[in-house]
């Protein structure tokens, strides 16, 4: 099948669309990326999304849900055009949506107990209507209903793409939040571990936006951090954050490392009279050390570290990762033939494929769910969608 995967992470910087060809093979799936199309949000829209994640009104979230449906549809159409194909050539779209809130640990409610919840917007009905392609979305809630945290969902795809018969690998994704997947030597999902390690681009992007009054949205290529020095006292405080010592399964987001964390960092920076470059350098090192701290829960050695996500372009973080894991080699997804920024979009194409093929997409040992589950809700393209999909399945 030809499937478009759509992803926008906690950084809220835009939609990544990956057009992927997926089919069965003896051990797992055959996955080939045909085209990749990033669609950045305008600065004003990004700010609206980030604000809505903290203090959005019902009317604003309602409007953004439909608005982002249009953006996600345009991103999908962009990927289809990049491949010189037509929407009728596409079998399926898998959309992660835009996370605006994530409460994985449960809030107690009278008569029901602890309720886990997560909220992604970008209306899949709009995506299906604009593209004419059956769309699968809302992947996380089913895992949470089964007792899991709804995250991370990409480790199963990491195993399909990167597991090696003779090398144990740590797969690192540097998005707004950093997460790791440990793939011991061999095949299948045996021994796989995965969890969020803490902040990556989210804190650095937020600091740059605050420092420049919104003129800059990131420390591009880690240039600011590269000019600074890591402050040992501040780093020690950051490494004492309770999330880092929490055992997996665990996941996190803007609720923990968002605006409140920025307020605390800037207050500490002023109290210690740190140059801003030193604050950026220290937070970059914090990201790398938090990833490195994952080793305390990993049973087995690591032969290589492979890194993807937008943070790969931050040279300061990549250098810190190399220092933290030395002498274990650290490389980017490109060394394995994959675009660092595209992998999460590819993952949601694969998860959509698994759903319509009646294959469970979560890894319970990772999310904490009680059992494997079919993920997502299906929005049909129109009458006859199941017959068309069945025809495509038979052809493949």
């Amino acid at each position: 099948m030809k499937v478009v995967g759509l992803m926008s992470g906690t950084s809220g910087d835009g939609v990544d669309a990956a057009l992927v060809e997926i089919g069965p093979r003896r051990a797992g799936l055959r996955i080939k990326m045909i085209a990749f199309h990033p669609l950045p949000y305008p600065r004003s829209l990004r700010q609206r999304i980030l604000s809505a994640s903290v203090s959005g009104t019902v009317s604003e979230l309602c409007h953004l849900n439909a608005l982002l449906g249009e953006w996600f549809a345009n991103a999908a159409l962009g990927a289809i055009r990049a491949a010189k194909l037509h929407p009728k050539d596409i079998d399926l779209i898998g959309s992660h949506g835009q996370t605006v809130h994530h409460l994985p640990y449960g809030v107690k409610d009278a008569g029901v107990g602890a309720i886990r919840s997560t909220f992604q917007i970008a209306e899949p009905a709009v995506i299906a209507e604009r593209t004419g392609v059956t769309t699968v979305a809302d992947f996380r809630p089913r895992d949470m209903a089964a007792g899991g945290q709804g995250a991370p969902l990409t480790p199963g795809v990491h195993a399909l793409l990167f597991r090696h018969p003779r090398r144990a690998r740590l797969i690192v994704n540097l998005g707004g939040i950093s997460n790791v997947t440990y793939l011991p030597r061999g095949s299948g999902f045996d021994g796989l571990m995965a969890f969020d390690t803490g902040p990556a681009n989210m804190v650095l992007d937020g600091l740059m936006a605050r420092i420049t009054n919104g003129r800059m949205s990131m420390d591009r290529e880690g240039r600011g951090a590269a000019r600074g020095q890591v402050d040992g006292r501040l780093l020690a405080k950051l490494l004492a954050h309770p999330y880092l010592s929490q055992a997996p399964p665990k996941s996190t987001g803007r609720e923990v490392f968002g605006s409140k964390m920025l307020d605390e960092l800037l207050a500490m920076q002023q109290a210690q009279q740190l140059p801003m470059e030193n604050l950026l350098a220290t937070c970059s090192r914090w990201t790398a050390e938090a990833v490195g701290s994952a080793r305390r829960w990993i049973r087995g050695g690591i032969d290589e570290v492979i890194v993807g996500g937008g943070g790969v372009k931050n040279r300061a973080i990549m250098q810190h990762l190399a220092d933290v894991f030395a002498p274990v080699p650290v490389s980017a997804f490109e060394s394995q033939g994959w675009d660092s920024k595209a992998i999460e979009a590819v993952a949601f194409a694969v998860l959509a494929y698994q759903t319509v093929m009646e294959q469970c997409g979560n890894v319970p040992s990772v999310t904490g769910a009680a059992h494997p589950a079919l993920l997502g809700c299906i929005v049909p393209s129109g009458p006859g969608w199941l017959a068309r999909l069945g025809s495509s399945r038979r052809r493949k």
Side-chain angles (χ1 to χ4, degrees):
M1 293 187 188
K2 291 183 175 63
V3 187
V4 177
L6 300 173
M7 175 70 191
S8 181
T10 48
S11 293
D13 51 3
V15 188
D16 292 329
L19 174 54
V20 186
E21 191 170 73
I22 307 172
R25 67 179 181 188
R26 183 173 299 175
L29 296 175
R30 176 178 52 81
I31 304 166
K32 177 184 177 183
M33 191 167 77
I34 300 171
F36 177 62
H37 178 71
L39 184 63
Y41 294 141
R43 185 184 301 170
S44 59
L45 177 56
R46 181 174 190 251
Q47 188 54 54
R48 287 168 66 187
I49 293 167
L50 299 183
S51 297
S53 299
V54 177
S55 57
T57 64
V58 173
S59 62
E60 177 68 0
L61 287 167
C62 183
H63 175 76
L64 281 173
N65 181 48
L67 174 62
L68 291 186
E70 303 286 356
W71 278 84
F72 274 60
N74 286 337
L77 292 170
I80 295 166
R81 286 193 298 270
K84 298 182 179 178
L85 295 173
H86 187 274
K88 65 179 175 57
D89 300 316
I90 308 304
D91 298 297
L92 201 61
I93 290 174
S95 174
H96 170 269
Q98 176 70 61
T99 297
V100 290
H101 219 67
H102 185 64
L103 300 173
Y105 298 105
V107 177
K108 289 186 178 179
D109 215 299
V112 182
I115 301 297
R116 297 176 176 87
S117 58
T118 190
F119 190 25
Q120 286 77 42
I121 59 175
E123 178 55 54
V126 173
I127 300 170
E129 184 68 25
R130 300 294 177 263
T131 62
V133 179
T134 294
T135 300
V136 186
D138 291 326
F139 291 92
R140 299 191 186 278
R142 181 61 185 272
D143 180 84
M144 298 185 100
Q149 296 203 2
L153 293 182
T154 54
V157 178
H158 289 159
L160 289 170
L161 296 179
F162 298 116
R163 194 133 192 189
H164 193 279
R166 295 178 301 279
R167 299 183 67 80
R169 291 172 161 176
L170 188 71
I171 308 302
V172 180
N173 177 64
L174 297 175
I177 293 294
S178 56
N179 55 69
V180 297
T181 301
Y182 177 64
L183 303 173
R185 302 176 188 93
S187 60
F189 291 166
D190 291 345
L192 182 153
M193 288 190 69
F195 47 90
D196 291 349
T197 62
N201 303 322
M202 179 185 295
V203 165
L204 296 168
D205 292 352
L207 287 173
M208 288 301 296
R210 293 274 192 100
I211 295 163
T212 64
N213 292 318
R215 293 190 304 277
M216 296 178 66
S217 60
M218 69 181 75
D219 180 18
R220 192 172 297 277
E221 296 182 351
R223 295 170 190 165
R227 293 194 296 269
Q229 298 292 323
V230 174
D231 183 270
R233 185 167 55 159
L234 176 57
L235 180 61
K237 289 181 181 178
L238 296 176
L239 290 175
H241 191 287
Y243 181 80
L244 272 65
S245 59
Q246 181 181 327
K250 61 178 181 176
S251 59
T252 190
R254 195 167 294 280
E255 301 73 31
V256 177
F257 295 107
S259 58
K260 184 180 178 183
M261 173 59 69
L262 295 179
D263 293 340
E264 293 173 1
L265 285 169
L266 291 170
M268 287 189 282
Q269 180 250 342
Q270 291 176 3
Q272 295 181 215
Q273 296 185 324
L274 284 179
M276 191 52 63
E277 289 83 359
N278 288 11
L279 178 60
L280 294 171
T282 304
C283 289
S284 297
R285 183 72 184 197
W286 181 30
T287 292
E289 293 280 1
V291 172
S293 73
R295 289 173 291 189
R296 75 179 73 174
W297 292 290
I298 290 172
R299 297 180 294 275
I302 299 172
D303 295 314
E304 58 185 325
V305 178
I306 306 174
V307 189
V312 166
K313 296 181 180 179
N314 186 309
R315 296 175 185 174
I317 295 178
M318 292 297 286
Q319 183 58 57
H320 288 311
L321 283 173
D323 294 341
V324 166
F325 283 97
V328 174
V330 176
S331 62
F333 281 1
E334 279 74 9
S335 67
Q336 305 297 314
W338 287 94
D339 187 315
S340 291
K341 200 169 186 305
I343 287 292
E344 287 209 311
V346 170
F348 283 92
V350 174
L351 288 168
Y353 173 90
Q354 290 176 319
T355 295
V356 300
M357 296 296 287
E358 301 182 6
Q359 300 170 1
C360 295
N362 64 334
V363 181
S365 63
V366 167
T367 65
H371 55 79
L374 282 172
L375 304 180
C377 299
I378 301 173
V379 179
S381 57
W385 73 277
L386 193 55
R388 287 194 296 275
L389 193 61
S391 174
S392 177
R393 288 168 63 170
R394 286 191 296 273
R395 287 199 309 273
K396 274 41 173 200

